[in-house]
Amino acid sequence: MELSGVSDEKRPTVDLVKDKNGTDQVLLKNPKGASVKISLHGGQVLSWKSDKGDELLFTSAKGNSKPPHPVRGGIPICFPQFGTRGSLEQHGFARNKMWLVEENPPDLPSFDSTDKAYVDLVLKPSDEDTTRIWPHSFEFHLRVSLALDGNLTLISISRVRNINSKPFSFSIAYHTYFSISDISEVRVEGLETLDYLDNLFDKERFTEQGDALTFESEIDRVYLNSRDVVAVFDHERKRTFLIKKEGLPDVVVWNPWDKKARALTDLGDEEYKHMLCVDGAAIEKPINLKPGEEWTGKLNLSLVLST
């Protein structure tokens, strides 16, 4: 089933497919052959492939892809809570709910649809379980697009609207699992001199001292008020991920390393070497919405290849 676009090699396409469990997924393709796959379970991006077929996102071979379990990998959306910072289940409920394809989404005046394959999803509190644990009326609109440009660009735009009669607050993170050659061979730039909350030390606040972030052990940090662009350099694969964000002041950096990886049932013992989570997020200062107000956040991921 094709949602938009036409069967033309020169046009982007958007198709509705199903995984092995029968869960609906949306497949975006651009004319160069790059693709993005989004599951309606969780509104989760599961795959982002270059025009050469290289997978850019990590997904665990041991991950359970059958609802209601979220997949370990891709880009799960943590909403309305990140981690255990609150009374909800870890990372909130959005990643465990079924989203709907939105036929008539709200306008996005700044969005240029030229040469983009994109889909609009929406999450609403439609079941008693959601309203019982988080008694607020909201609409979470999510647009995921795959651009056609010199670099490979994946853009996610979130819009959360308060349709309740009382205010509420939330945290959010795009928990992005990048596929990397080896955790010991990558570095992250753009976090220099920033304060961060270290989850390995009971959220104690520290200041980053190094010129670039490299990895020799477990890391679980929330960097605060970061720059709008952060870069992940993978030397062995000669590629760089650029993470550009709007409305998402914080950056989460996470890798479980060997001991924690062995304790996770949905992650292989050695898989930690080939993944790194770098998230655009709003965590330290929750977003407050009055009745009728709307928040917009944008995550722009692009791939740059070096020779």
Side-chain angles (χ1 to χ4, degrees):
M1 174 182 174
E2 191 169 283
L3 300 178
S4 66
V6 295
S7 298
D8 183 337
E9 291 183 357
K10 296 182 180 180
R11 296 281 301 277
T13 59
V14 183
D15 293 289
L16 188 64
V17 298
K18 290 183 182 293
D19 69 4
K20 62 183 180 181
N21 298 309
T23 303
D24 286 333
Q25 299 179 336
V26 180
L27 181 63
L28 310 179
K29 286 187 177 181
N30 74 13
K32 290 186 176 181
S35 66
V36 169
K37 185 180 290 183
I38 310 107
S39 176
L40 296 195
H41 177 238
Q44 182 175 355
V45 175
L46 296 176
S47 173
W48 175 30
K49 290 184 178 180
S50 71
D51 53 3
K52 294 181 175 59
D54 296 328
E55 180 57 67
L56 306 176
L57 298 178
F58 167 86
T59 301
S60 174
K62 292 183 67 176
N64 188 342
S65 60
K66 190 173 183 179
H69 304 284
V71 175
R72 170 73 68 182
I75 312 177
I77 296 173
C78 305
F79 171 90
Q81 174 181 302
F82 179 81
T84 56
R85 291 172 166 82
S87 60
L88 302 178
E89 61 186 293
Q90 179 164 313
H91 294 325
F93 52 74
R95 66 190 185 130
N96 294 321
K97 298 298 181 183
M98 291 302 299
W99 294 56
L100 300 174
V101 175
E102 196 166 20
E103 300 294 342
N104 297 298
D107 288 335
L108 278 172
S110 62
F111 182 80
D112 180 6
S113 62
T114 305
D115 290 329
K116 289 185 177 70
Y118 66 94
V119 66
D120 289 283
L121 305 181
V122 63
L123 176 68
K124 300 178 182 180
S126 57
D127 59 65
E128 289 186 9
D129 182 51
T130 300
T131 54
R132 178 179 55 81
I133 62 174
W134 204 63
H136 303 291
S137 295
F138 68 94
E139 293 177 349
F140 191 140
H141 303 274
L142 175 68
R143 176 170 291 181
V144 181
S145 69
L146 179 63
L148 174 63
D149 55 16
N151 300 325
L152 178 60
T153 304
L154 167 64
I155 303 172
S156 294
I157 304 173
S158 292
R159 303 170 76 177
V160 178
R161 185 171 182 81
N162 184 350
I163 58 173
N164 207 345
S165 59
K166 58 183 180 180
F168 64 73
S169 62
F170 65 91
S171 299
I172 186 170
Y174 288 101
H175 200 35
T176 308
Y177 288 73
F178 289 105
S179 175
I180 56 174
S181 57
D182 190 293
I183 186 63
S184 300
E185 298 295 325
V186 301
R187 74 180 194 274
V188 178
E189 293 188 359
L191 304 175
E192 299 83 3
T193 72
L194 293 182
D195 286 356
Y196 63 87
L197 306 178
D198 196 325
N199 291 323
L200 301 181
F201 291 90
D202 197 27
K203 304 180 180 65
E204 188 175 346
R205 193 180 186 113
F206 298 93
T207 300
E208 183 59 58
Q209 303 294 331
D211 293 332
L213 193 61
T214 56
F215 305 94
E216 299 177 346
S217 60
E218 180 184 357
I219 187 169
D220 188 356
R221 299 174 181 174
V222 180
Y223 285 84
L224 309 175
N225 297 312
S226 80
R227 301 168 182 84
D228 291 335
V229 181
V230 177
V232 178
F233 294 87
D234 190 334
H235 308 286
E236 185 174 320
R237 290 183 178 170
K238 295 181 178 180
R239 68 189 189 191
T240 300
F241 294 107
L242 293 180
I243 304 155
K244 302 178 183 179
K245 54 196 182 64
E246 298 174 17
L248 300 162
D250 304 326
V251 171
V252 177
V253 181
W254 179 71
N255 183 284
W257 220 254
D258 53 352
K259 185 177 180 180
K260 183 72 66 67
R262 288 193 293 270
L264 296 171
T265 59
D266 59 351
L267 186 70
D269 290 353
E270 300 295 315
E271 286 187 323
Y272 76 92
K273 296 178 180 178
H274 307 296
M275 55 147 282
L276 177 64
C277 287
V278 182
D279 312 355
I283 297 172
E284 185 197 25
K285 298 177 181 177
I287 296 159
N288 299 301
L289 288 183
K290 296 177 182 177
E293 283 189 337
E294 182 178 272
W295 167 87
T296 299
K298 181 177 181 181
L299 183 74
N300 182 314
L301 305 178
S302 58
L303 173 71
V304 180
L305 300 176
S306 56
T307 56

